[in-house]
Amino acid sequence: MKRKVFWLSSIITTILSSATAIFGFVASNRLMYIKNKDANFIYDRELKAQRFDEAWFHNCPKEELSIDSPNGYPIKGIFFKPLQTQNTIIICHGVTENKINSVKYARMFERLGFNSFVFDHRRHGESGGKTTSYGYYEKFDIAAVVKTVKSIVGENAVIGIHGESMGAASMILYAGLIEDGAHFYIADCGFSNFAELISYIVKKETILRTKLPLHLADIFLRLRDGYSLKSVTPKEAIKNIKSPMLFIHSLEDDFILPYMTKEMYEEKSEPKMLKLFEKGAHAQSFNLNQAEYEYTVSEFLQRYIFTDESSSNSEKEIS
């Protein structure tokens, strides 16, 4: 009898261990190899929505660049130079997107007096890289991009970085953990804590109500991709950023909840501004509020970058 119980216990233990390993592998797989949107789909979507101007894209003076990532792959991007200025905005797209999604912001910043550099994050678009790491490895790529752009435009140029969703989180990790290397930052619907985000998504999309999936994903990410969920926490990194930052989010966003932007705004020291749009799902603030979005960015630039008022110590919030 004891022998049967022993064997039964061994079998159950083996099954549970195997199931745990399989679950952890699958969970980390979904994160590391998240399905990217088809390039043609993104192009057609932006074109049909009239956010992508083909004539401008083909006629605008530009330079295609391939930047060596410190992680060992090429970062592909386009430097748009429609203006006679050295002032440049670097635009970081969100997860599953590519640099074509960033062109709409390039057009806006052209109207605001900036040339722009758009690029594909690792494992997106034409760039290399085997996995998506939601900012952990992407922050080193942004550092390489900033260094290259500065070498092109010179020391007197005003450099800004605009990030959307994962691009915003990656930008904050770069500025807070590697170098505060830009004159200003614009963080649109970024997450503050990757572990909290994954936990929220699991609860939202499955019946699981335990933290086991999070722990398993963390263990397997450490083993397979060399980083932990805790190392992707922008709200901690943001405490080290001194340059001005504009925070943007839509209150209707139910993928990355607006509270994440609010808590990063609270953690960021002055100078800073916050804009919360009433309309817009995730990463739709610009698409549904274009005029007000551009006005907000212009207000931020005039308040902190192109006037002497950048030394103000009072908190600024736009309603």
Side-chain angles (χ1 to χ4, degrees):
M1 183 66 181
K2 291 183 179 180
R3 190 171 182 179
K4 288 183 179 180
V5 171
F6 173 79
W7 280 108
L8 181 60
S9 176
S10 298
I11 291 171
I12 292 173
T13 300
T14 300
I15 291 173
L16 291 175
S17 299
S18 299
T20 299
I22 292 170
F23 189 92
F25 185 87
V26 171
S28 58
N29 245 40
R30 289 193 63 181
L31 292 173
M32 294 163 58
Y33 305 111
I34 186 170
K35 183 176 175 58
N36 292 332
K37 296 183 180 72
D38 179 75
N40 291 328
F41 167 80
I42 295 173
Y43 192 97
D44 291 341
R45 180 196 66 196
E46 296 301 299
L47 187 65
K48 290 176 181 177
Q50 299 183 333
R51 296 189 293 263
F52 182 78
D53 186 334
E54 280 187 308
W56 179 89
F57 181 81
H58 292 299
N59 296 323
C60 178
K62 58 183 176 292
E63 178 183 3
E64 294 190 8
L65 297 178
S66 180
I67 299 170
D68 292 332
S69 165
N71 299 310
Y73 45 79
I75 305 164
K76 301 289 187 175
I78 305 173
F79 203 146
F80 293 111
K81 303 176 181 179
L83 305 176
Q84 296 298 313
T85 181
Q86 299 304 311
N87 295 343
T88 303
I89 185 80
I90 296 166
I91 305 173
C92 307
H93 66 74
V95 70
T96 76
E97 296 286 344
N98 66 23
K99 59 183 175 289
I100 294 300
N101 183 64
S102 300
V103 173
K104 61 190 177 188
Y105 296 118
R107 297 302 310 278
M108 178 188 72
F109 281 105
E110 177 189 358
R111 294 189 291 271
L112 296 173
F114 287 82
N115 291 329
S116 58
F117 181 72
V118 303
F119 69 100
D120 294 322
H121 281 297
R122 61 183 270 137
R123 203 185 150 268
H124 286 71
E126 298 176 310
S127 291
K130 294 181 179 180
T131 63
T132 296
S133 67
Y134 305 90
Y136 182 78
Y137 291 116
E138 287 81 0
K139 66 180 181 285
F140 298 108
D141 295 346
I142 294 176
V145 167
V146 172
K147 182 178 180 180
T148 299
V149 168
K150 285 183 175 181
S151 71
I152 294 172
V153 300
E155 295 181 359
N156 295 325
V158 174
I159 304 292
I161 306 179
H162 177 286
E164 179 184 86
S165 191
M166 182 191 76
S170 302
M171 172 192 75
I172 292 168
L173 293 171
Y174 152 74
L177 300 179
I178 298 180
E179 60 171 356
D180 190 353
H183 293 89
F184 66 91
Y185 307 95
I186 301 174
D188 187 335
C189 65
F191 59 81
S192 58
N193 184 311
F194 191 47
E196 282 186 18
L197 175 61
I198 297 303
S199 180
Y200 164 71
I201 293 173
V202 169
K203 290 179 181 178
K204 178 183 175 184
E205 297 184 355
T206 73
I207 61 173
L208 298 175
R209 292 296 179 269
T210 72
K211 293 185 178 181
L212 180 61
L214 194 66
H215 293 318
L216 291 175
D218 191 42
I219 291 169
F220 275 77
L221 282 176
R222 288 170 184 258
L223 294 172
R224 302 180 67 197
D225 213 15
Y227 71 96
S228 69
L229 294 176
K230 290 183 179 180
S231 59
V232 187
T233 309
K235 72 177 181 181
E236 293 298 324
I238 209 164
K239 298 174 183 179
N240 301 321
I241 302 175
K242 304 302 180 184
S243 295
M245 183 174 291
L246 169 61
F247 295 87
I248 295 173
H249 216 119
S250 293
L251 294 173
E252 293 178 340
D253 190 344
D254 63 354
F255 182 71
I256 296 179
L257 298 180
Y259 86 86
M260 289 197 159
T261 281
K262 292 178 184 178
E263 68 179 6
M264 287 193 292
Y265 173 77
E266 293 299 325
E267 292 290 347
K268 171 71 172 71
S269 62
E270 284 290 349
K272 60 184 177 181
M273 287 172 58
L274 171 67
K275 174 63 180 179
L276 300 174
F277 288 98
E278 295 291 335
K279 295 189 301 180
H282 182 62
Q284 295 296 308
S285 291
F286 177 84
N287 295 344
L288 297 182
N289 309 275
Q290 290 189 26
E292 193 176 1
Y293 194 109
E294 184 169 334
Y295 174 82
T296 300
V297 175
S298 177
E299 173 104 0
F300 169 74
L301 293 173
Q302 293 302 320
R303 187 175 294 182
Y304 292 124
I305 307 304
F306 295 126
T307 72
D308 293 333
E309 297 176 8
S310 59
S311 60
S312 172
N313 291 321
S314 61
E315 288 194 356
K316 303 284 196 309
E317 179 174 349
I318 306 175
S319 60

